[in-house]
């Protein structure tokens, strides 16, 4: 339309020039108009190419697409299982197979419907098989049947769909199992802002298991250290934007009475007659029976190899990889589990028999099994199993396998999980791959852990570029912008420009305190950065006093066991050593060694403390 308008306008101007202007002026004006039309045409051509490329990538980026590869309407969705609802036992009704029982109204619906009418970002939280996805699906079918249904197929697909956002107006963005979409490359506050800040009546509707939701609560932040906290901050920042609706696993008496009214469905009748320790939806999905079958399978001569396959698949998801595992990878990983439980003494069955058993539904006509999928497309652990208590530590081969399979953004999330488990060397390859893909947080972790992959100058350039982009999108006072600016100051300090870094920290600390409060983690980190740059710039006495004050404030706010606190104490020792003040450094290091005994031997802080202790004792007369 811009091109047509430009052509029409140029034609009119050219005609007027020909009628009333001189021949020379008409020529000049004609050339100018032609240039304008050429620029508009090039712009239009570029836009057409962008739209064509977005349309080409759209079907692959969608979990469910219409026949034309576009966004389907909510009212056209017929199968709840396609959007993530757990199937139940299959029955035949009126000549067709029925895999989903009739929907029973839940007590949370008034709260849920009110949230959906307000719009924005709505999140249903509950345990596996609590009925979150079914409640969400039925609610949008009732309230938003004429809106488009946009379900990204992967975390990276969100960015693809945003490039194609002009193709829809009025839609529900469906994010079942939200944890799969959180983090760099997926749903951050930035992408959520782009999804919602428009005149298109967009609703973002998500579900999340309680276990995953708890990982992003404030108390979980103490488990992260340094830049590794950024991925948790991003996740929490997204969750804080949501209207949260909690769905209980166990049904209320009112809900059970409603279910009893649907007595024609034998599946509901059996679920209502089951143990009331379990929820009705939980029993429909046969979760407790699957767990019992898995535990019993370890008995010698039963299905120990099958149980080992399930254990490996469960740990892959616990590690943060939620895609199907290739059968050959699962076959390789499960051997370690089998050996640890007794190996040949268990009289394990063949791999084929084990896989057949793990894929077999609990009941003959059931739909849920311990493993979902098939050999051709990969195998996935039933999510009910992931949140069971009393899990052992995830074996190293599982971490390595899933990081190799994951995309760079997924690998970064998994690497952070490895990092938090204390095995930093194992996380290094995935962190480097993520940093090479442009994930700045990964590069920051590498720098803080003395394993940089590029120069401080290059890191500074990337941090400045990211800061400019966030300022333009969110403004100067947004938390993400402040975090990016703190990375600019940090890399400036790494470049050895201590006085310049001190000035940056002084300006930024005051702003952060006024915006976020003086006890916010970002503000605490900036105060420590200001103290570090002051000491490094040569003002040792002033800097040491600021460092002590910053560390004590962090201890009183975050607690003495907080990893960020331990990391800052480590940096104080490092700075004192670099300044040649070995006596002061040794005094602080001795206290730090005592407080780090709960960390694993391979934790970056432990490794650094050992190295500094060796250096200091070597220097002693």
């Amino acid at each position: 339309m811009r091109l047509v308008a430009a052509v029409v306008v140029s034609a009119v101007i050219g005609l007027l020039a020909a009628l009333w202007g001189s021949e020379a002026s008409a020529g000049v004006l004609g050339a100018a108009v032609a240039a304008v039309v050429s620029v508009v045409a090039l712009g239009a051509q570029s836009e057409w190419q962008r739209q064509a490329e977005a349309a080409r990538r759209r079907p692959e980026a969608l979990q469910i697409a219409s026949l034309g590869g576009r966004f389907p309407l909510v009212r056209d969705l017929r199968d709840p299982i396609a959007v993530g609802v757990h199937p139940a036992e299959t029955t035949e009704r009126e000549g067709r197979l029925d895999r989903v029982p009739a929907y029973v109204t839940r007590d949370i619906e008034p709260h849920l419907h009110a949230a959906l009418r307000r719009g924005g970002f709505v999140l249903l939280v509950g345990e596996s098989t609590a009925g979150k996805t079914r409640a969400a699906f039925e609610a949008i079918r009732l309230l938003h049947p004429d809106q488009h249904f946009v379900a990204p197929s992967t975390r990276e697909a969100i960015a693809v769909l945003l490039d194609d956002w002009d193709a829809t107006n009025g839609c529900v963005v469906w994010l079942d199992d939200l944890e799969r979409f959180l983090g760099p490359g997926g749903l951050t506050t930035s992408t959520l802002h782009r999804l919602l800040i428009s005149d298109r009546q967009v609703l973002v509707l998500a579900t999340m298991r309680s276990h995953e939701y708890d990982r992003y609560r404030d108390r979980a932040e103490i488990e992260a250290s340094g830049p590794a906290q950024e991925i948790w901050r991003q996740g929490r920042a997204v969750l804080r934007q949501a209207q949260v609706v909690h769905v209980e696993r166990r049904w209320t008496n009112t809900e059970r009475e409603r279910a009893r009214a649907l007595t024609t469905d034998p599946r509901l009748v059996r679920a209502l007659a089951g143990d009331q320790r379990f929820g009705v939806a939980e029993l429909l999905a046969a979760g407790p029976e699957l767990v019992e079958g898995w535990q019993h399978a370890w008995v010698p001569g039963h299905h120990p190899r099958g149980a080992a396959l399930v254990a490996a698949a469960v740990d892959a998801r616990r590690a943060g990889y939620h895609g199907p595992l290739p059968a050959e990878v699962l076959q390789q990983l499960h051997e370690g589990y089998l050996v640890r439980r007794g190996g040949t003494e268990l009289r394990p069955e063949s791999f084929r028999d084990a896989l057949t058993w793990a894929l077999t539904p609990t009941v003959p006509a059931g739909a849920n099994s311990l493993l979902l999928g098939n050999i051709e497309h990969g195998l996935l652990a039933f999510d009910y199993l992931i949140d069971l208590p009393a899990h052992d530590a995830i074996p190293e081969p599982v971490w390595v396998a899933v990081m190799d399979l994951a995309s760079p953004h997924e690998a970064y999330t998994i690497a952070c999980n490895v990092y938090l488990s204390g095995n930093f060397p194992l996380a290094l390859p995935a962190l480097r791959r993520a940093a090479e893909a442009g994930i700045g947080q990964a590069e920051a972790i590498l720098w803080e852990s003395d394993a940089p992959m590029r120069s401080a100058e290059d890191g500074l350039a990337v941090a400045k570029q990211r800061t400019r982009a966030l300022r333009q999108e969110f403004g100067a006072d947004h938390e993400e912008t402040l975090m990016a600016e703190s990375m600019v100051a940090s890399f400036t300090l790494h470049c050895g420009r201590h006085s310049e870094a001190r000035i940056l920290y002084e300006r930024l600390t005051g702003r952060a305190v006024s915006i976020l409060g003086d006890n916010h983690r970002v503000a605490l980190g900036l105060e420590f950065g200001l103290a570090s740059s002051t000491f490094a710039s040569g003002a040792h006495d002033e800097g040491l006093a600021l460092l002590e004050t910053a560390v004590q404030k962090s201890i009183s706010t975050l607690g003495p066991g907080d990893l960020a606190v331990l990391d800052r104490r480590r940096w104080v020792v490092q700075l004192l050593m670099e300044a040649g003040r070995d006596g002061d450094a040794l005094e602080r290091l001795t206290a730090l060694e005592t407080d780090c005994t709960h960390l694993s031997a391979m934790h970056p802080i432990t490794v650094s403390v050992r190295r500094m202790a060796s250096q200091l004792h070597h220097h002693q007369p």
Side-chain angles (χ1 to χ4, degrees), residues 152-335:
S153 56
T154 63
R155 178 190 311 193
E156 289 79 10
I158 294 177
V160 175
L161 295 174
L162 278 170
D163 289 339
D164 192 27
W165 213 224
D166 292 337
T168 185
N169 185 23
C171 68
V172 176
V173 179
W174 181 264
L175 301 174
D176 194 39
D177 290 332
L178 179 62
E179 65 274 8
R180 297 187 299 123
F181 300 96
L182 289 175
L187 188 69
T188 62
T189 52
S190 173
T191 51
L192 183 64
H193 175 85
R194 291 177 61 193
L195 286 170
L196 295 176
I197 303 303
S198 67
D199 56 357
R200 294 189 174 87
Q201 298 180 328
V202 174
L203 168 70
V204 177
L205 181 56
T207 68
M208 196 173 198
R209 302 194 328 276
S210 299
H211 177 74
E212 293 291 343
Y213 184 74
D214 286 342
R215 291 178 61 190
Y216 289 94
R217 290 183 181 271
D218 288 339
R219 65 176 181 270
E221 192 169 4
I222 64 173
E223 300 173 4
S225 174
Q229 293 167 343
E230 177 63 11
I231 189 170
W232 268 255
R233 287 196 188 103
Q234 285 189 348
R236 279 199 311 278
V238 170
L239 297 184
R240 285 171 179 163
Q241 309 301 313
Q243 303 175 69
V244 179
V245 179
H246 291 277
V247 184
E248 295 297 329
R249 174 179 57 85
R250 295 177 61 180
W251 285 27
T252 65
N253 290 333
T254 305
E255 289 170 334
R256 296 177 73 90
E257 286 300 321
R258 294 192 197 106
R260 288 190 182 94
L262 301 171
T263 54
T264 56
D265 193 323
R267 295 165 295 187
L268 279 172
V269 172
R270 286 195 296 272
L272 289 166
D275 193 329
Q276 291 198 25
R277 292 178 302 164
F278 306 111
V280 174
E282 185 178 9
L283 291 169
L284 287 170
E289 293 181 54
L290 290 169
V291 174
E292 184 180 0
W294 181 24
Q295 294 170 343
H296 184 64
W298 288 108
V299 175
H302 283 67
H303 297 283
R305 190 180 299 278
L309 288 172
V310 174
V314 168
D315 275 355
R317 294 196 64 181
R318 287 179 59 216
Y321 184 75
H322 297 289
L325 283 172
E328 59 272 16
V329 173
L330 192 58
Q331 183 174 11
Q332 179 183 1
L333 291 177
H334 90 282
E335 291 288 353

Side-chain angles (χ1 to χ4, degrees), residues 566 569 573 585-597:
L566 297 176
R569 291 171 62 189
V573 175
L586 185 59
E587 178 184 346
R588 287 163 177 78
L589 183 64
T590 302
L592 180 58
E593 284 180 306
T594 302
D595 294 339
C596 287
T597 54

Side-chain angles (χ1 to χ4, degrees), residues 42-56:
L42 289 173
Q45 182 183 19
S46 176
E47 178 66 14
W48 291 335
Q49 290 175 344
R50 187 194 67 79
Q51 291 181 6
E53 176 62 16
R56 184 189 66 79

Side-chain angles (χ1 to χ4, degrees), residues 582-583 586 615-621:
D582 288 358
L586 185 59
Q615 292 173 354
L616 286 172
H617 290 306
H618 180 71
H619 292 161
Q620 293 297 308

